[in-house]
């Protein structure tokens, strides 16, 4: 008997075994019915059986083996995704979801091989087709489940960040009011100043979290473009950085026509992140160089520092969120959230303007280069051509 025929004939016992296994994985706080635990097992198994019976050409066999075309078995894909969505709602963990597919595969193979008197070559073909169908179902199920976990996490972070803004605003305003009053003694003034500094740092964390969650959902950062001069924006950020870190040395060079239409606040955030990163990681005795250049329809900003080079492998993930180690308290720059989101948000700001950002690092220097069009393109075109990696020079 073929494995597809066996699945159809033994569908009831196989589903019963699936249910009993799922029951051992049920979250303690739930008491699901048999129908809830069986979920999509019956239709998934029938879809797998139908897929095995479908004739395949050489290219189809190759694509199936490589997992290149999930739509070559649309019912298997759909049922697997539906099952993942249901298990997510039911509170099953990712490990539990994967273990269900592992147990189902073992159950079918064990039952089918028991009734085989003598193995034939076509049995191996059957087993291969079953394994490929199960792999496809597991892959699609796992992919959807992890996306749901990511979306839920990002939504939680977004809601948390949004709701924290109001109480943080009250703390900030209250500390500022106390510092402006003349009723505090020395110790009380220091305490109020620490409250204000902590509130500023928490506000930076909230802002980074909100930016991260927005872009994590695939939404480009919103912009309010207005006429601006990149040279003047850079000059403002250089002055702010020198005020926050008086011991740092920053040299600003401008060249060409630097006017355009950008979101000044976002560009300031981008420049501040790049400059603060260079000040933090560069040699303390060497100046940081900021060079702003106008060239045709684009304006470029280079931020360069001397210091230890960024390893090649680290450059590949430099602009990815939450990949950098959180900054230690003693090393955190003023105004930084310390969450390791700065370069990620910097890249997203460049991308939102239709631009790109890249890094080049060697033993002599590290250079971050942001290149922006003078006018941001329409929203739907902003991610075209955006650079997401680094290069060694």
């Amino acid at each position: 008997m073929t494995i597809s025929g066996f699945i159809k004939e033994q569908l009831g016992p196989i589903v019963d075994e699936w249910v009993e296994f799922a029951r051992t994985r049920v979250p303690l706080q739930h008491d699901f019915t048999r129908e809830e635990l069986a979920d999509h097992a019956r239709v998934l198994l029938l879809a797998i059986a139908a897929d095995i019976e479908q004739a395949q050409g050489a290219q189809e066999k190759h694509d199936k083996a490589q997992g290149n075309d999930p739509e070559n078995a649309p019912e298997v894909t759909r049922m697997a995704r539906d099952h993942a969505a249901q298990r997510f709602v039911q509170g099953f963990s990712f490990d539990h979801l994967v273990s269900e597919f592992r147990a189902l595969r073992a159950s079918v193979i064990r039952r089918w091989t028991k009734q085989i008197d003598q193995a034939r070559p076509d049995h191996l073909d059957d087993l291969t087709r079953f394994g490929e169908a199960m792999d496809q179902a597991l892959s699609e199920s796992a992919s959807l489940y992890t996306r749901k976990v990511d979306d839920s996490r990002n939504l939680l972070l977004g809601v948390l960040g949004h709701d924290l803004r109001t109480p943080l605003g009250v703390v900030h305003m209250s500390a500022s009011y106390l510092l402006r009053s003349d009723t505090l003694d020395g110790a009380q003034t220091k305490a109020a100043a620490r409250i204000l500094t902590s509130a500023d740092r928490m506000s930076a964390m909230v802002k980074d979290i909100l930016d991260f969650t927005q872009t994590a959902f695939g939404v480009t950062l919103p912009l309010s473009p207005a006429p601006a001069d990149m040279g003047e924006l850079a000059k403002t950020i250089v002055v702010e950085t020198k005020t926050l870190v008086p011991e740092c040395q920053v040299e600003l060079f401008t060249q060409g026509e630097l006017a355009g239409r950008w979101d000044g606040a976002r560009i300031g955030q981008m420049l501040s992140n790049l400059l603060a990163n260079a000040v933090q990681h560069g040699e303390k005795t060497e100046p940081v160089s900021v060079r702003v250049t106008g060239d045709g329809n684009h304006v470029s900003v280079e931020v360069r520092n001397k210091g230890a080079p960024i390893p090649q492998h680290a450059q590949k993930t430099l602009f990815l969120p939450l990949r950098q180690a959180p900054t230690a308290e003693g090393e955190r720059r003023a105004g930084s959230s310390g969450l390791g989101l700065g370069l990620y948000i910097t890249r997203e700001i460049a991308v939102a303007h239709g631009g790109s950002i890249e890094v080049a690092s060697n033993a002599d220097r590290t250079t971050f280069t942001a290149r922006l069009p003078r006018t941001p393109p329409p929203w739907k075109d902003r991610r075209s051509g955006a650079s997401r990696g680094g290069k060694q020079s």
Side-chain angles (χ1 to χ4, degrees):
M1 180 183 296
T2 64
I3 197 168
S4 59
F6 177 80
I7 289 174
K8 293 176 183 178
E9 182 180 284
Q10 296 295 316
L11 191 60
I14 294 173
V15 172
D16 288 340
E17 188 169 341
W18 165 293
V19 169
E20 291 308 309
F21 180 82
R23 199 178 299 281
T24 67
R25 299 297 188 267
V26 172
L28 295 177
Q29 65 272 30
H30 296 295
D31 184 20
F32 294 119
T33 64
R34 182 188 184 282
E35 289 70 25
E36 289 172 322
L37 292 175
D39 191 43
H40 299 85
R42 183 181 183 86
V43 287
L44 176 61
L45 283 166
L46 290 175
I48 288 174
D51 179 60
I52 295 172
E53 293 171 349
Q54 192 76 23
Q56 283 186 339
Q59 185 61 45
E60 290 173 318
K61 287 183 178 180
H62 176 270
D63 289 341
K64 188 78 168 181
Q66 298 294 319
N68 294 334
D69 186 10
E71 296 307 321
N72 59 14
E75 279 302 298
V76 173
T77 296
R78 185 170 69 86
M79 288 300 107
R81 291 172 178 172
D82 288 348
H83 176 68
Q86 183 67 14
R87 287 301 194 239
F88 178 80
V89 171
Q90 291 172 336
F92 280 67
S93 72
F94 179 77
D95 288 344
H96 293 162
L97 175 75
V98 173
S99 67
E100 281 190 299
F101 283 93
R102 185 175 63 243
L104 179 61
R105 184 197 302 262
S107 174
V108 172
I109 292 176
R110 184 183 66 253
R111 289 171 177 270
W112 179 60
T113 53
K114 278 184 178 180
Q115 55 85 47
I116 295 178
D117 294 329
Q118 185 174 359
R120 303 192 308 269
D122 58 307
H123 288 156
L124 181 58
D125 292 338
D126 261 11
L127 194 59
T128 300
R129 291 290 302 273
F130 174 69
E132 290 172 344
M134 285 296 301
D135 287 343
Q136 179 172 332
L138 173 58
S139 175
E140 294 300 320
S141 194
S143 177
L144 187 133
Y145 187 97
T146 53
R147 286 200 303 272
K148 284 190 168 294
V149 170
D150 288 343
D151 287 348
S152 296
R153 177 198 63 200
N154 294 336
L155 182 61
L156 174 61
L157 286 173
V159 171
L160 179 63
H162 183 274
D163 290 350
L164 279 174
R165 288 190 300 180
T166 298
L168 270 177
V170 173
V171 171
H172 192 280
M173 290 178 60
S174 299
S176 298
Y177 170 76
L178 289 173
L179 286 174
R180 288 195 301 268
S181 69
D182 56 1
T183 59
L184 302 181
D185 59 28
Q188 292 170 334
T189 299
K190 290 181 179 179
R194 284 195 296 269
I195 293 173
L196 186 62
T197 300
S198 296
D200 284 337
R201 185 156 59 84
M202 292 177 69
S203 295
M205 289 181 181
V206 169
K207 190 175 188 306
D208 280 358
I209 287 173
L210 291 175
D211 285 345
F212 166 66
T213 53
Q214 186 168 27
T215 55
F217 281 118
V219 179
T220 303
L221 289 174
L223 300 179
S224 299
D229 185 289
M230 189 66 75
E232 291 300 315
L233 292 172
K235 181 179 178 180
T236 299
I237 298 303
V238 168
V239 171
E240 288 181 359
T241 301
K242 288 183 175 180
T243 301
L244 291 170
V245 190
E247 66 275 14
C248 74
Q249 305 174 59
V250 182
E251 299 175 345
L252 174 62
F253 305 92
T254 59
Q255 180 181 348
E257 176 57 49
L258 303 179
R261 284 182 59 84
W262 303 290
D263 186 319
R266 287 293 188 186
I267 293 298
Q269 184 182 5
M270 180 188 77
L271 296 176
S272 179
N273 283 343
L274 290 176
L275 186 50
N277 185 74
V279 169
Q280 178 177 330
H281 297 289
E283 291 286 349
K284 306 306 179 187
T285 58
E286 297 289 342
V288 172
S289 168
V290 180
R291 188 175 298 275
V292 187
T293 307
D295 178 21
N297 295 324
H298 291 79
V299 174
S300 299
V301 180
E302 286 186 359
V303 180
R304 179 177 299 174
N305 67 271
K306 292 187 177 181
I310 303 172
Q312 186 68 37
H313 67 86
Q315 293 183 38
K316 297 178 181 179
T317 60
L318 202 59
F319 297 102
L320 297 180
L322 305 175
R323 298 297 179 92
Q324 311 306 314
T327 308
E329 183 70 28
E331 301 175 349
R332 183 180 294 120
R333 59 179 168 84
S336 168
S337 68
L339 296 177
L341 292 172
L343 290 178
Y344 167 75
I345 293 171
T346 295
R347 185 200 65 187
E348 290 299 319
I349 293 172
V351 169
H353 282 84
S356 63
I357 187 166
E358 60 185 25
V359 59
S361 186
N362 56 30
D364 181 50
R365 63 185 181 273
T366 294
T367 304
F368 284 85
T369 303
R371 180 173 170 82
L372 307 178
R374 294 186 186 273
T375 300
W379 179 84
K380 62 183 178 64
D381 298 326
R382 288 180 191 166
R383 286 191 175 269
S384 62
S387 172
R388 291 177 176 272
K391 65 181 182 180
Q392 190 81 15
S393 69

